[in-house]
Amino acid sequence: MKFGALCHSYSRFETLSGNALRSALADFLKTVPTVDIKAVVYMTLGAIASDYDEINLGMADKMAIKAIALAAGKDEAKVSKEYKKKGDVGLVAESVCGTADGTLSVFDVFETLHLIATTSGTGSQEEKIRHFSGLLKKATPIEARYIGRLAVGKLRLGVAAKTVLDGLSLAYGIGKEKIEHAFNICPDIGIIAETVVGKGDDGISSIGVVVGRPVQMMLCQRVESLQEAIDKLGIPVAAEQKYDGERVQIHKDRKKVTLYSRRLENITSQFPELVKAASTNLNAASCIIEAEIMAVGKKGQLEPFQKLMSRRRKHGIEQMAKEIPAKAFCFELLYLNGKSLIKESYNTRYENLSSILRPNTSINLAQRVVCTDAKCIDALFKRVVGKCGEGVVIKSLRPDSDYQAGVRGWHWIKWKPEYSKGMQDTFDLAVIGAFRGRGRRSGRYGALLCAVYNKKTGKFESFCKLGSGFSDAELKSLSKKLTKSDSQPKNVVVLKQMTPDVWIQPTKVVEVLAAEITRSPFHAAGMKDGKGLALRFPRFLRWRDDKKAEQATTTKEISR
Ligand code: ATP
């Protein structure tokens, strides 16, 4: 397929949103041959591989400007001036490069972008510039625009993975839910698209769990009383300690162990002690287990979440592992010795899990009791909370208690102290904007505009203005932590009266404590009769760097 055809579609997608975008995308996807579909869907999302493959573009703008100047045979200072005016590497590339006649294929561009992303070591900067400028020399103006944006990781067409799934469903007449389910089991948009185009409905139905490929994690519902949990799940139930650490999926394939975070990032290098424990203390040739990682103190006590987050680093990992050792508390088994267990009941999965796990200082089973009434769950809850634990997760033991990948379903229910007091609750919100501070806060951001995620539309809807709970240091670092956007991102919905001073790319998630949800004329979340939903008295609690923006609290959850 010609890369030019893809670029012309991109320029059209930029002008569309909602259903019009979905149907234009579907019409286009129908024209893409099987050999190119994988590259096309990755690139449409501004990437060149699945999220968990860790092959990231994102060349620095300055380096891209160098390459553009080289390709165009122009003075770098002049091109740089042009960039300052336009603020978009793509537009600069389009205006100064692009003398070729349109022979580039999707394959050429995809391959070269891969080469740029994977070139490393000494002299790699020059190599990357050489590859990039070589590609630009072969491009037409419109191709140069999108190659430029792709190379710096700023394609931003407003197309999310969900839009592509919907587009595939429309184009190939396969049920949306079926495709979404397959994507939860195999969160690689390239594989999903290739399967839809190459093998159709049957292919999608047979997508299964594979060791080394993360599965979207199952999530919890919440209730207002323990009795309600029992009514929902029946008896008996398993009540487990809810550890306040980091969720991990451990993939063991003979000697190879890979750890994936809740965001499906590869975090293997961060926890060498867990890799070792999985190699030696899981008696299985291959398996996928899930656990919560906790930092453990000198006396064996469990440390707060923040302590564990300080393990997130690139250097000095072995030293940190000694200073703040981590331990995995396991509660799930998705796959064992060549067989997927996600359709089995929790009882079966747990029995297998406990039979293969030999506890040591780095790995153990999560604390658990099987209960037949609320009193029994409450006893575990009190024990956990008494030791500053987060609460409990109550799990169905019914024969139909399968592992529901990526679903916030009714097999798991969480119970935390704030629910039992019926007072406050926490929400994980995506930051979509910022307001400049005044008075003591002038010169920095004074408040953030936060949003819930609408899974149906793939958009972030404003839900509260967050100005309290920040420490001085936290306020100071806000502008560094957040990525500005020149204009309102296409996937963000805000009412005019709540337009922020600065738009933020929705990538960061913040945990917020609030008193209640009310109807408000200022926010766009869950709009009904001209009024949205808003949080009253929100307070900043902490950053949730373990979550992607799309894993924020959903519109559906707050509308219940
Ligand atoms: P929260 O902020 O309440 O943790 P969340 O949106 O991160 O919410 P939920 O699915 O609502 O996630 O709550 C379950 C989370 O609790 C899991 O994602 C996991 O990280 C953590 N957890 C700790 N202990 C357990 C356990 N025994 N079983 C399942 N999940 C557990």
Side-chain angles (χ1 to χ4, degrees):
M1 181 176 205
K2 285 272 169 57
F3 185 62
L6 186 59
C7 295
H8 286 290
S9 298
Y10 282 175
S11 75
R12 179 131 191 276
F13 297 163
E14 277 179 316
T15 63
L16 303 171
S17 64
N19 282 340
L21 175 60
R22 267 187 284 276
S23 77
L25 183 64
D27 288 344
F28 171 67
L29 289 173
K30 266 192 255 182
T31 68
V32 182
T34 319
V35 283
D36 288 319
I37 190 75
K38 219 172 175 176
V40 164
V41 293
Y42 288 144
M43 288 201 278
T44 305
L45 295 180
I48 48 167
S50 73
D51 284 354
Y52 61 83
D53 273 332
E54 292 189 303
I55 302 176
N56 295 322
L57 280 166
M59 196 182 219
D61 287 11
K62 219 169 152 196
M63 199 155 129
I65 295 299
K66 254 192 189 151
I68 292 169
L70 188 68
K74 294 220 155 83
D75 182 35
E76 194 186 324
K78 267 195 193 145
V79 178
S80 191
K81 211 165 152 196
E82 192 67 19
Y83 170 63
K84 278 199 186 112
K85 241 197 283 168
K86 292 197 159 83
D88 176 344
V89 167
L91 292 181
V92 178
E94 180 171 15
S95 68
V96 301
C97 303
T99 50
D101 52 3
T103 51
L104 274 180
S105 68
V106 163
F107 180 79
D108 296 332
V109 177
F110 190 66
E111 283 286 283
T112 314
L113 291 176
H114 257 275
L115 205 59
I116 295 172
T118 52
T119 302
S120 60
T122 21
S124 62
Q125 297 239 352
E126 286 70 26
E127 275 283 278
K128 282 176 194 260
I129 291 173
R130 204 171 55 75
H131 292 313
F132 184 31
S133 69
L135 188 59
L136 286 172
K137 276 188 196 156
K138 294 184 207 150
T140 62
I142 190 171
E143 290 173 344
R145 183 201 306 169
Y146 292 108
I147 290 173
R149 288 185 186 161
L150 276 164
V152 295
K154 292 178 188 160
L155 185 68
R156 293 178 192 159
L157 293 178
V159 176
K162 170 88 170 71
T163 331
V164 174
L165 297 178
D166 289 353
L168 287 168
S169 158
L170 266 175
Y172 288 89
I174 303 175
K176 248 193 211 182
E177 273 163 25
K178 198 172 206 178
I179 296 190
E180 273 173 25
H181 175 66
F183 186 61
N184 279 333
I185 292 175
C186 163
D188 182 327
I189 198 80
I191 297 179
I192 297 293
E194 201 172 53
T195 309
V196 167
V197 177
K199 298 186 183 152
D201 202 310
D202 289 349
I204 277 297
S205 306
S206 59
I207 282 208
V209 178
V210 171
V211 195
R213 185 172 79 195
V215 176
Q216 292 277 10
M217 299 185 195
M218 175 162 159
L219 302 169
C220 293
Q221 279 288 1
R222 45 179 106 182
V223 285
E224 283 173 8
S225 71
L226 280 180
Q227 190 51 48
E228 193 185 339
I230 298 234
D231 294 345
K232 288 266 185 210
L233 304 181
I235 49 167
V237 291
E240 295 176 3
Q241 172 160 358
K242 184 175 192 306
Y243 297 86
D244 188 16
E246 176 168 14
R247 177 96 166 251
V248 66
Q249 207 169 75
I250 304 175
H251 289 237
K252 175 177 175 174
D253 190 4
R254 294 177 200 280
K255 290 212 169 108
K256 187 169 180 220
V257 173
T258 316
L259 310 182
Y260 292 103
S261 72
R262 170 89 179 266
R263 304 174 60 142
L264 310 185
E265 291 160 326
N266 188 327
I267 52 167
T268 314
S269 62
Q270 281 175 35
F271 297 105
E273 67 272 56
L274 301 190
V275 172
K276 189 162 172 234
S279 309
T280 55
N281 287 49
L282 291 177
N283 185 17
S286 63
C287 64
I288 303 176
I289 66 175
E290 274 186 12
E292 190 83 352
I293 309 176
M294 295 293 291
V296 183
K298 296 248 169 339
K299 292 178 187 148
Q301 79 279 15
L302 300 182
E303 299 280 9
F305 179 72
Q306 281 78 359
K307 196 93 186 218
L308 184 74
M309 285 297 118
S310 61
R311 289 273 310 249
R312 281 187 171 243
R313 52 178 61 220
K314 288 204 172 109
H315 306 289
I317 288 171
E318 289 289 343
Q319 182 58 28
M320 278 310 269
K322 276 189 199 130
E323 278 170 30
I324 309 175
K327 184 167 183 173
F329 290 92
C330 306
F331 48 78
E332 263 300 345
L333 179 67
L334 275 57
Y335 184 95
L336 180 60
N337 296 333
K339 191 171 169 259
S340 167
L341 297 183
I342 61 171
K343 292 203 174 119
E344 304 292 335
S345 71
Y346 185 41
N347 232 346
T348 308
R349 299 198 301 279
Y350 189 83
E351 269 173 19
N352 279 291
L353 172 66
S354 50
S355 76
I356 62 165
L357 191 146
R358 237 172 344 105
N360 73 0
T361 49
S362 305
I363 197 162
N364 202 350
L365 290 168
Q367 184 181 188
R368 173 193 217 244
V369 222
V370 172
C371 291
T372 50
D373 58 24
K375 224 168 107 194
C376 161
I377 306 172
D378 194 44
L380 175 69
F381 174 73
K382 290 210 169 91
R383 270 204 313 276
V384 171
V385 174
K387 286 190 181 162
C388 300
E390 204 194 4
V392 290
V393 183
I394 308 151
K395 299 185 176 179
S396 168
L397 290 177
R398 285 197 306 238
D400 68 353
S401 53
D402 55 345
Y403 183 91
Q404 300 179 320
V407 174
R408 201 175 276 288
W410 284 105
H411 288 345
W412 286 7
I413 295 175
K414 59 183 170 183
W415 184 247
K416 299 201 231 179
E418 47 267 38
Y419 306 165
S420 63
K421 285 185 204 139
M423 273 171 25
Q424 298 192 315
D425 205 351
T426 61
F427 301 83
D428 296 331
L429 306 178
V431 180
I432 55 170
F435 298 90
R436 292 199 186 91
R438 299 212 187 107
R440 233 167 54 83
R441 292 185 179 183
S442 72
R444 44 177 91 149
Y445 296 155
L448 302 179
L449 185 61
C450 302
V452 285
Y453 182 60
N454 188 326
K455 267 196 166 168
K456 261 201 185 140
T457 59
K459 300 212 169 179
F460 294 92
E461 301 170 341
S462 88
F463 184 45
C464 74
K465 188 172 169 181
L466 176 67
S468 56
F470 293 106
S471 67
D472 258 9
E474 204 66 70
L475 274 176
K476 231 183 187 170
S477 64
L478 284 180
S479 60
K480 235 196 219 160
K481 181 152 187 103
L482 302 166
T483 311
K484 274 200 237 172
S485 168
D486 300 334
S487 52
Q488 176 170 359
K490 265 173 88 181
N491 55 351
V492 157
V493 194
V494 166
L495 301 185
K496 224 174 161 186
Q497 51 272 43
M498 206 26 98
T499 307
D501 296 326
V502 178
W503 291 105
I504 302 288
Q505 280 298 334
T507 54
K508 292 279 184 274
V509 176
V510 69
E511 187 171 339
V512 171
L513 184 72
E516 61 175 316
I517 299 173
T518 53
R519 284 261 155 220
S520 147
F522 296 105
H523 289 282
M527 279 292 258
K528 218 188 216 171
D529 307 328
K531 279 191 171 178
L533 293 168
L535 266 191
R536 289 191 71 200
F537 309 124
R539 275 186 75 73
F540 169 84
L541 270 187
R542 61 185 178 178
W543 290 101
R544 287 294 303 256
D545 291 328
D546 59 324
K547 279 195 164 184
K548 282 203 264 200
E550 287 77 8
Q551 292 169 332
T553 301
T554 60
T555 308
K556 193 170 163 203
E557 285 172 72
I558 59 158
S559 308
R560 282 207 293 131

